[in-house]
PDB file of all heavy atoms in Angstrom:
ATOM      1  N   MET J  28       0.121  -0.197   0.000  1.00  0.00           N
ATOM      2  CA  MET J  28       0.000   0.000   0.000  1.00  0.00           C
ATOM      3  C   MET J  28       0.303   0.494   0.000  1.00  0.00           C
ATOM      4  O   MET J  28       0.815  -0.047   0.916  1.00  0.00           O
ATOM      5  CB  MET J  28       0.239  -0.534   0.209  1.00  0.00           C
ATOM      6  CG  MET J  28      -0.020  -0.850   0.274  1.00  0.00           C
ATOM      7  SD  MET J  28       0.821  -1.276   0.429  1.00  0.00           S
ATOM      8  CE  MET J  28       1.141  -1.584   0.646  1.00  0.00           C
ATOM      9  N   ALA J  30       0.088   2.171  -0.351  1.00  0.00           N
ATOM     10  CA  ALA J  30       0.230   2.746   0.821  1.00  0.00           C
ATOM     11  C   ALA J  30       1.198   3.798   0.666  1.00  0.00           C
ATOM     12  O   ALA J  30       1.422   4.514   1.502  1.00  0.00           O
ATOM     13  CB  ALA J  30       0.697   1.805   1.757  1.00  0.00           C
ATOM     14  N   TYR J  66      -3.492  -4.018   5.693  1.00  0.00           N
ATOM     15  CA  TYR J  66      -4.389  -2.959   5.232  1.00  0.00           C
ATOM     16  C   TYR J  66      -5.858  -3.361   5.171  1.00  0.00           C
ATOM     17  O   TYR J  66      -6.487  -3.303   4.134  1.00  0.00           O
ATOM     18  CB  TYR J  66      -3.912  -2.428   3.876  1.00  0.00           C
ATOM     19  CG  TYR J  66      -2.488  -1.911   3.973  1.00  0.00           C
ATOM     20  CD1 TYR J  66      -1.414  -2.735   3.650  1.00  0.00           C
ATOM     21  CD2 TYR J  66      -2.222  -0.639   4.461  1.00  0.00           C
ATOM     22  CE1 TYR J  66      -0.112  -2.299   3.784  1.00  0.00           C
ATOM     23  CE2 TYR J  66      -0.922  -0.185   4.592  1.00  0.00           C
ATOM     24  CZ  TYR J  66       0.132  -1.019   4.257  1.00  0.00           C
ATOM     25  OH  TYR J  66       1.421  -0.574   4.396  1.00  0.00           O
ATOM     26  N   PHE J  74      -2.442   3.473   8.991  1.00  0.00           N
ATOM     27  CA  PHE J  74      -1.375   3.893   8.078  1.00  0.00           C
ATOM     28  C   PHE J  74      -1.501   5.377   7.738  1.00  0.00           C
ATOM     29  O   PHE J  74      -0.498   6.102   7.688  1.00  0.00           O
ATOM     30  CB  PHE J  74      -1.335   3.039   6.799  1.00  0.00           C
ATOM     31  CG  PHE J  74      -0.210   3.489   5.913  1.00  0.00           C
ATOM     32  CD1 PHE J  74       1.106   3.217   6.261  1.00  0.00           C
ATOM     33  CD2 PHE J  74      -0.455   4.252   4.785  1.00  0.00           C
ATOM     34  CE1 PHE J  74       2.163   3.691   5.488  1.00  0.00           C
ATOM     35  CE2 PHE J  74       0.589   4.726   4.007  1.00  0.00           C
ATOM     36  CZ  PHE J  74       1.903   4.439   4.358  1.00  0.00           C
ATOM     37  N   ILE J  77       0.020   7.183  10.438  1.00  0.00           N
ATOM     38  CA  ILE J  77       1.497   7.092  10.374  1.00  0.00           C
ATOM     39  C   ILE J  77       2.050   8.180   9.447  1.00  0.00           C
ATOM     40  O   ILE J  77       3.044   8.830   9.756  1.00  0.00           O
ATOM     41  CB  ILE J  77       1.937   5.687   9.880  1.00  0.00           C
ATOM     42  CG1 ILE J  77       1.703   4.647  10.971  1.00  0.00           C
ATOM     43  CG2 ILE J  77       3.405   5.682   9.435  1.00  0.00           C
ATOM     44  CD1 ILE J  77       1.994   3.191  10.548  1.00  0.00           C
ATOM     45  N   TYR J  83       7.772  10.074  10.859  1.00  0.00           N
ATOM     46  CA  TYR J  83       7.635   9.344   9.582  1.00  0.00           C
ATOM     47  C   TYR J  83       7.808  10.346   8.435  1.00  0.00           C
ATOM     48  O   TYR J  83       6.867  10.976   7.968  1.00  0.00           O
ATOM     49  CB  TYR J  83       6.279   8.616   9.517  1.00  0.00           C
ATOM     50  CG  TYR J  83       6.235   7.602   8.386  1.00  0.00           C
ATOM     51  CD1 TYR J  83       6.876   6.367   8.497  1.00  0.00           C
ATOM     52  CD2 TYR J  83       5.581   7.888   7.193  1.00  0.00           C
ATOM     53  CE1 TYR J  83       6.859   5.443   7.462  1.00  0.00           C
ATOM     54  CE2 TYR J  83       5.555   6.973   6.146  1.00  0.00           C
ATOM     55  CZ  TYR J  83       6.198   5.755   6.295  1.00  0.00           C
ATOM     56  OH  TYR J  83       6.178   4.840   5.260  1.00  0.00           O
ATOM     57  N   GLY J 188       5.168   6.408  -2.815  1.00  0.00           N
ATOM     58  CA  GLY J 188       5.062   5.897  -1.448  1.00  0.00           C
ATOM     59  C   GLY J 188       6.141   4.921  -1.042  1.00  0.00           C
ATOM     60  O   GLY J 188       6.159   4.457   0.084  1.00  0.00           O
ATOM     61  N   SER J 189       7.034   4.549  -1.948  1.00  0.00           N
ATOM     62  CA  SER J 189       8.053   3.525  -1.661  1.00  0.00           C
ATOM     63  C   SER J 189       7.419   2.199  -1.263  1.00  0.00           C
ATOM     64  O   SER J 189       8.001   1.437  -0.493  1.00  0.00           O
ATOM     65  CB  SER J 189       9.041   3.982  -0.573  1.00  0.00           C
ATOM     66  OG  SER J 189      10.236   3.225  -0.679  1.00  0.00           O
ATOM     67  N   THR J 190       6.233   1.939  -1.798  1.00  0.00           N
ATOM     68  CA  THR J 190       5.630   0.620  -1.576  1.00  0.00           C
ATOM     69  C   THR J 190       6.539  -0.458  -2.166  1.00  0.00           C
ATOM     70  O   THR J 190       6.560  -1.590  -1.676  1.00  0.00           O
ATOM     71  CB  THR J 190       4.217   0.574  -2.204  1.00  0.00           C
ATOM     72  OG1 THR J 190       3.438   1.580  -1.562  1.00  0.00           O
ATOM     73  CG2 THR J 190       3.545  -0.776  -1.979  1.00  0.00           C
ATOM     74  N   ASN J 193       8.531  -2.526   0.202  1.00  0.00           N
ATOM     75  CA  ASN J 193       7.957  -3.636   0.970  1.00  0.00           C
ATOM     76  C   ASN J 193       8.053  -4.963   0.213  1.00  0.00           C
ATOM     77  O   ASN J 193       7.643  -5.999   0.723  1.00  0.00           O
ATOM     78  CB  ASN J 193       6.499  -3.342   1.363  1.00  0.00           C
ATOM     79  CG  ASN J 193       6.369  -2.150   2.284  1.00  0.00           C
ATOM     80  OD1 ASN J 193       5.578  -1.256   2.043  1.00  0.00           O
ATOM     81  ND2 ASN J 193       7.171  -2.097   3.337  1.00  0.00           N
ATOM     82  N   TYR J 233      10.045   4.194  12.517  1.00  0.00           N
ATOM     83  CA  TYR J 233       9.253   2.965  12.698  1.00  0.00           C
ATOM     84  C   TYR J 233       9.053   2.627  14.188  1.00  0.00           C
ATOM     85  O   TYR J 233       8.555   1.562  14.527  1.00  0.00           O
ATOM     86  CB  TYR J 233       9.916   1.802  11.942  1.00  0.00           C
ATOM     87  CG  TYR J 233       9.879   2.032  10.443  1.00  0.00           C
ATOM     88  CD1 TYR J 233      10.809   2.856   9.816  1.00  0.00           C
ATOM     89  CD2 TYR J 233       8.867   1.480   9.659  1.00  0.00           C
ATOM     90  CE1 TYR J 233      10.754   3.100   8.449  1.00  0.00           C
ATOM     91  CE2 TYR J 233       8.805   1.710   8.293  1.00  0.00           C
ATOM     92  CZ  TYR J 233       9.755   2.530   7.693  1.00  0.00           C
ATOM     93  OH  TYR J 233       9.683   2.780   6.341  1.00  0.00           O
ATOM     94  N   THR J 240       2.822   3.202  15.017  1.00  0.00           N
ATOM     95  CA  THR J 240       3.385   2.105  14.202  1.00  0.00           C
ATOM     96  C   THR J 240       3.228   0.779  14.942  1.00  0.00           C
ATOM     97  O   THR J 240       2.927  -0.260  14.328  1.00  0.00           O
ATOM     98  CB  THR J 240       4.859   2.383  13.864  1.00  0.00           C
ATOM     99  OG1 THR J 240       4.949   3.713  13.328  1.00  0.00           O
ATOM    100  CG2 THR J 240       5.396   1.398  12.838  1.00  0.00           C
ATOM    101  N   PHE J 243      -0.271  -0.291  14.448  1.00  0.00           N
ATOM    102  CA  PHE J 243      -0.408  -0.774  13.071  1.00  0.00           C
ATOM    103  C   PHE J 243       0.090  -2.227  12.996  1.00  0.00           C
ATOM    104  O   PHE J 243      -0.563  -3.094  12.394  1.00  0.00           O
ATOM    105  CB  PHE J 243       0.429   0.153  12.188  1.00  0.00           C
ATOM    106  CG  PHE J 243       0.547  -0.215  10.737  1.00  0.00           C
ATOM    107  CD1 PHE J 243      -0.523  -0.059   9.871  1.00  0.00           C
ATOM    108  CD2 PHE J 243       1.761  -0.669  10.216  1.00  0.00           C
ATOM    109  CE1 PHE J 243      -0.395  -0.371   8.513  1.00  0.00           C
ATOM    110  CE2 PHE J 243       1.900  -0.973   8.872  1.00  0.00           C
ATOM    111  CZ  PHE J 243       0.809  -0.826   8.022  1.00  0.00           C
ATOM    112  N   MET J 279      10.227  -5.264  10.696  1.00  0.00           N
ATOM    113  CA  MET J 279       9.220  -5.171  11.767  1.00  0.00           C
ATOM    114  C   MET J 279       8.885  -6.588  12.205  1.00  0.00           C
ATOM    115  O   MET J 279       8.674  -7.477  11.370  1.00  0.00           O
ATOM    116  CB  MET J 279       7.949  -4.467  11.301  1.00  0.00           C
ATOM    117  CG  MET J 279       8.113  -2.967  11.268  1.00  0.00           C
ATOM    118  SD  MET J 279       6.626  -1.989  11.581  1.00  0.00           S
ATOM    119  CE  MET J 279       5.323  -2.847  10.768  1.00  0.00           C
ATOM    120  N   GLU J 307       7.140  -7.389   8.425  1.00  0.00           N
ATOM    121  CA  GLU J 307       7.380  -6.488   7.285  1.00  0.00           C
ATOM    122  C   GLU J 307       8.865  -6.222   7.104  1.00  0.00           C
ATOM    123  O   GLU J 307       9.613  -6.139   8.082  1.00  0.00           O
ATOM    124  CB  GLU J 307       6.676  -5.143   7.517  1.00  0.00           C
ATOM    125  CG  GLU J 307       6.744  -4.209   6.316  1.00  0.00           C
ATOM    126  CD  GLU J 307       6.058  -2.862   6.576  1.00  0.00           C
ATOM    127  OE1 GLU J 307       6.468  -2.150   7.516  1.00  0.00           O
ATOM    128  OE2 GLU J 307       5.113  -2.539   5.849  1.00  0.00           O
ATOM    129  N   SER J 309      11.071  -3.197   4.992  1.00  0.00           N
ATOM    130  CA  SER J 309      10.934  -1.961   4.232  1.00  0.00           C
ATOM    131  C   SER J 309      12.337  -1.612   3.728  1.00  0.00           C
ATOM    132  O   SER J 309      13.145  -1.046   4.470  1.00  0.00           O
ATOM    133  CB  SER J 309      10.358  -0.861   5.128  1.00  0.00           C
ATOM    134  OG  SER J 309      10.043   0.282   4.377  1.00  0.00           O
TER     135      SER J 309
HETATM  136  C1  AVI G  26       3.665   1.304   2.820  1.00  0.00           C
HETATM  137  N1  AVI G  26       5.065   1.266   3.189  1.00  0.00           N
HETATM  138  C2  AVI G  26       5.902   1.931   2.213  1.00  0.00           C
HETATM  139  C3  AVI G  26       5.313   1.670   4.576  1.00  0.00           C
HETATM  140  C4  AVI G  26       6.825   1.598   4.870  1.00  0.00           C
HETATM  141  O1  AVI G  26       7.358   2.602   5.334  1.00  0.00           O
HETATM  142  O2  AVI G  26       7.433   0.567   4.582  1.00  0.00           O
HETATM  143  C5  AVI G  26       4.550   0.807   5.568  1.00  0.00           C
HETATM  144  C6  AVI G  26       4.888   1.106   6.996  1.00  0.00           C
HETATM  145  N2  AVI G  26       5.203   0.227   7.890  1.00  0.00           N
HETATM  146  C7  AVI G  26       5.431   0.821   9.044  1.00  0.00           C
HETATM  147  N3  AVI G  26       5.291   2.117   8.889  1.00  0.00           N
HETATM  148  C8  AVI G  26       4.936   2.319   7.594  1.00  0.00           C
END
Side-chain angles (χ1 to χ4, degrees):
M28 249 174 143
Y66 302 94
F74 181 72
I77 287 175
Y83 193 77
S189 201
T190 300
N193 297 130
Y233 294 81
T240 309
F243 175 73
M279 281 210 321
E307 186 181 59
S309 188

